[in-house]
Each structure stands twice: as structure tokens, then as C-alpha cells.
Amino acid sequence: MDENPYIFLKNNLFLQFLIADRYRIYRHITACVSLLLFFLTTKEWGAYKGFVDHLDWIERCMIITLAFYLNLYVLIPRFLFRGKFVTYVFSLVGVLLICQVITYYLNTVVWREYVISEDLKKAMALPIPTLFIFSLLSLLPFIMLSTLIKIFQLWIKNTEKMQELEQQATKSELQALRSQIQPHFLFNMLNSINTLLYIDPEKASYTLTKLSDFLRHLLYQSHEERVFLSSELRFLSDFLSLEAMRRDDFTYEITYNEKNIQGIQLPPNILLILTENAVKHSIDTLAPTYIYMKCEQKEGWLHFSVYNSVPLQPNPQQKFSGIGLTNLRRRLELLYDDRFKLLQEALPKEYIVTLALQL
């Protein structure tokens, strides 16, 4: 049987050393020590007089380290990984050009009178473009190495994320189905419809249509990678209308502008989890209950807020049931990385959850 790639990545110490945050300081130490050893073992000692002979290799080491880390932590994340390839190339060329100018100025102007190596004197007599090319060739392997390392790290991290996301999705799907299609929910709805058939046939037909739409959404759209926000909000409205059939003194409202959210897509059931959380923690047989929602798109972010009433006598076991906001937060981390905010605010008579997603 083939080994699970996720397990392989987790158990491979070398790959974890390259990507895991806990090894970051050791990676930098290893890189710096390796670069230092490279210069100490490849340097032509005695090419300059006195202390300048040491300044030469220190300067080259610092220039290459600067170019290496600028490419690794600035140019690649800001430009290459965001699809700005042309900007990345021009920025990289600019960095390399600055490095070449500094190297040329120090070696051929500042330290020229300290040169004692005949080979180095002959090299300095070459045309400036030739010197720049040779100097650039010495930098390119380190630039390519930093690019390969960063791309490899991204690939490994994305692979880990995809594997964990698949596991989370499987668990969430099973838990969601358990929490959404509970037998007592369906039995209560069917009993209510059966009663309405004799009292108010028109309302019974309407309720049956809503229940059908509810189940159809769960069975089909939940398997899609992304769904339209407008469809999700209509589904939430159907879900809350069914919940209103089961409760007395329950009110709900979903506020949004259809044009404001037109065309927006998001992973399925994210908003449903927040709604279920509000439904579950607002149940109160002693007082009226409510759930109010607001959804809007503003400055490239989707803001979704849920306000629900708090029971007069909260059930302490409720916080341990259902999918919960903890699992939702982890799913959002896998899907959106740092491009989301999930905030909770517990007031004496109201509980507020606000989700913001960068579009």
C-alpha cells in the first residue's frame, strides 16, 4: 500500500527541517555557516595587503547574503508568488545591479592600491561589462538556490495544507451531516407538515417546498468546491424559516444587498456552520429568541455578522456539541491562510460572531 503523502511529509525530518517554523533559526545558522565555509575554503589568500585581504571575502559574503535573503523574503513573496513576474524580474535585476556596483567600486577603486595578486590585477584590467558578467555569474547560483528553496517550501506547505484540508473536509462533512440532518429535526418538520395539511394546506405545501430545497442543498451543493454567496444566503433563509416552524416566539432576519454581493463565491457550508451555531445557542423555552444576520462586501472583504439571543438559563452541555467555531477557524486557516478574521463577542443578552473573508 502506498504511504500517505501527508504522513510522509510529517515524518520526514529533512523536509520538516526545510519548511517547519520551529527549525527556522537552525536553517539560517546552517545557511550562514555553509556560506562562510564556502568563502573561507575558496578564497585566494594573499590577494590583498594586510587587513584588506579579509575585508574582501567579508564583503563578498555580505553581498551574497544580502542578495540571497532579499530574493528569499522580499522579491519572491511580494512579486513572484503574486503573479507579478515582470516586476519580479526587473526588481531582481535591480538588486543584482546594485550588488555589482558595490563590488566593483570596492575592488577597483577603494581597495585597488592594496592588490598584490598578479591574476587579480589582470582581472581588474578587463572591460567593465566583462567584470560585471563574471561577478553576476558568481551570484546567480545563490539566487537560483534561494528561489528553488522558496518554491520548494511553498510546494511542501501547499501539499500539507491540501492533505490536511481533505482530512478536515471529510470530518467536517460527516459532522455537518450528523448535525444538519438529525432525525428529530426531520421528524418534527414532517409532523408539523402533517398537522398543517389539515389546518393550512397552503402553508403545508410551502413548508414542504422549503424542506425539499433544504435537503437538496445539503445533498448536492455541499459537494461543490465553491458556491455563490447569494445561493448560500437564500439557503440560510430557508433553513431559518424551517427553524421558525419548530419554535414559538422566534424571529430572524438576513440583511444584504443583492447587487453588492453579486458574483461572489465561497466554499460551501461556512456560513451554515455559523448559522447552526446561532440556532443551537439561542434556543430558549422561557423567552422569545432571535437570530439576525448582516452580509456585505466592502473594500475587497466580505463581512458576515450573526447576532443571536442568549438563553436566560444556558445549557452548559451545548458548548461541547456540534462542529463548533474551533474547527471552522482551522478550516478557514487552510482555505484562506491569513486572509480572514473570525471574531466572537459574548454580551449579557446577545452573542455576536463576525466573519471577514478577503475576496
Side-chain angles (χ1 to χ4, degrees):
M1 182 180 294
D2 294 335
E3 186 176 6
N4 189 317
Y6 179 71
I7 302 299
F8 173 76
L9 291 174
K10 284 291 185 184
N11 295 337
N12 191 297
L13 183 60
F14 174 72
L15 295 179
Q16 287 301 306
F17 180 79
L18 289 178
I19 64 172
D21 290 337
R22 64 181 182 275
Y23 296 121
R24 177 175 295 175
I25 184 65
Y26 302 107
R27 287 200 298 268
H28 293 314
I29 293 174
T30 301
C32 292
V33 170
S34 300
L35 189 61
L36 183 63
L37 290 175
F38 172 79
F39 280 109
L40 290 177
T41 55
T42 58
K43 172 176 169 52
E44 180 188 353
W45 294 99
Y48 294 86
K49 296 177 185 177
F51 71 98
V52 177
D53 202 37
H54 290 284
L55 292 180
D56 170 54
W57 73 265
I58 292 174
E59 170 266 326
R60 287 198 298 154
C61 185
M62 292 180 64
I63 286 292
I64 289 180
T65 302
L66 177 65
F68 183 90
Y69 280 106
L70 273 176
N71 186 52
L72 191 69
Y73 288 110
V74 179
L75 302 184
I76 294 177
R78 290 191 178 183
F79 303 124
L80 186 61
F81 285 172
R82 294 184 180 181
K84 302 176 182 178
F85 182 74
V86 176
T87 305
Y88 168 73
V89 171
F90 277 102
S91 301
L92 181 59
V93 170
V95 169
L96 294 178
L97 183 60
I98 293 173
C99 291
Q100 304 313 306
V101 171
I102 294 174
T103 300
Y104 176 80
Y105 179 76
L106 291 175
N107 285 275
T108 61
V109 178
V110 180
W111 299 334
R112 190 180 189 92
E113 60 182 282
Y114 296 94
V115 176
I116 58 178
S117 170
E118 294 299 326
D119 291 337
L120 188 56
K121 289 180 180 179
K122 292 179 181 178
M124 288 183 177
L126 294 172
I128 293 178
T130 305
L131 290 176
F132 270 55
I133 291 174
F134 280 124
S135 182
L136 180 63
L137 290 176
S138 67
L139 269 176
L140 277 180
F142 297 96
I143 295 298
M144 293 175 64
L145 178 62
S146 64
T147 303
L148 289 174
I149 289 174
K150 200 66 177 177
I151 291 176
F152 183 69
Q153 285 180 341
L154 180 66
W155 177 75
I156 293 294
K157 286 184 177 181
N158 284 344
T159 302
E160 282 190 325
K161 277 187 176 182
M162 289 301 297
Q163 291 291 334
E164 187 174 351
L165 186 58
E166 288 179 5
Q167 293 182 354
Q168 287 284 336
T170 301
K171 293 179 182 178
S172 296
E173 183 178 354
L174 292 174
Q175 291 173 341
L177 287 174
R178 291 192 186 112
S179 63
Q180 292 161 7
I181 315 180
Q182 294 184 18
H184 75 268
F185 174 84
L186 290 178
F187 291 154
N188 288 342
M189 290 308 308
L190 291 174
N191 286 333
S192 298
I193 293 172
N194 184 51
T195 302
L196 286 173
L197 286 173
Y198 299 96
I199 301 174
D200 191 342
E202 185 176 346
K203 188 174 182 180
S205 176
Y206 171 81
T207 305
L208 189 61
T209 301
K210 291 293 183 181
L211 179 61
S212 175
D213 292 340
F214 174 80
L215 295 175
R216 184 180 297 108
H217 180 96
L218 291 179
L219 293 175
Y220 296 106
Q221 290 200 7
S222 295
H223 296 283
E224 300 290 336
E225 291 187 4
R226 301 184 75 82
V227 296
F228 283 103
L229 174 59
S230 56
S231 175
E232 284 286 280
L233 293 175
R234 285 192 293 270
F235 169 69
L236 296 184
S237 180
D238 291 341
F239 174 57
L240 291 176
S241 68
L242 291 173
E243 183 64 23
M245 290 289 300
R246 305 170 55 205
R247 292 198 211 179
D248 295 326
D249 295 325
F250 171 68
T251 57
Y252 70 92
E253 183 179 7
I254 303 178
T255 304
Y256 65 96
N257 186 318
E258 188 78 34
K259 292 183 179 180
N260 181 257
I261 64 168
Q262 190 172 11
I264 296 177
Q265 292 183 313
L266 72 166
N269 293 338
I270 286 180
L271 304 186
L272 177 59
I273 293 173
L274 296 177
T275 306
E276 284 186 318
N277 185 73
V279 167
K280 186 179 305 175
H281 296 288
S282 65
I283 295 176
D284 190 352
T285 58
L286 302 177
T289 59
Y290 65 84
I291 295 176
Y292 300 138
M293 300 181 185
K294 182 179 180 181
C295 184
E296 63 177 338
Q297 185 269 132
K298 184 167 56 178
E299 297 178 353
W301 285 77
L302 174 68
H303 299 270
F304 184 76
S305 300
V306 183
Y307 305 79
N308 66 265
S309 55
V310 176
L312 297 177
Q313 297 179 355
N315 183 355
Q317 295 182 345
Q318 282 186 336
K319 62 181 180 180
F320 299 108
S321 60
I323 296 175
L325 299 182
T326 302
N327 287 345
L328 173 61
R329 182 180 295 277
R330 182 53 187 156
R331 185 183 175 195
L332 290 170
E333 288 174 352
L334 294 171
L335 289 168
Y336 289 90
D337 198 15
D338 59 349
R339 297 176 293 108
F340 81 95
K341 298 175 185 177
L342 183 60
L343 306 176
Q344 305 170 58
E345 184 178 4
L347 302 177
K349 296 184 179 181
E350 188 174 60
Y351 192 76
I352 306 170
V353 179
T354 303
L355 172 63
L357 300 175
Q358 188 175 14
L359 302 175

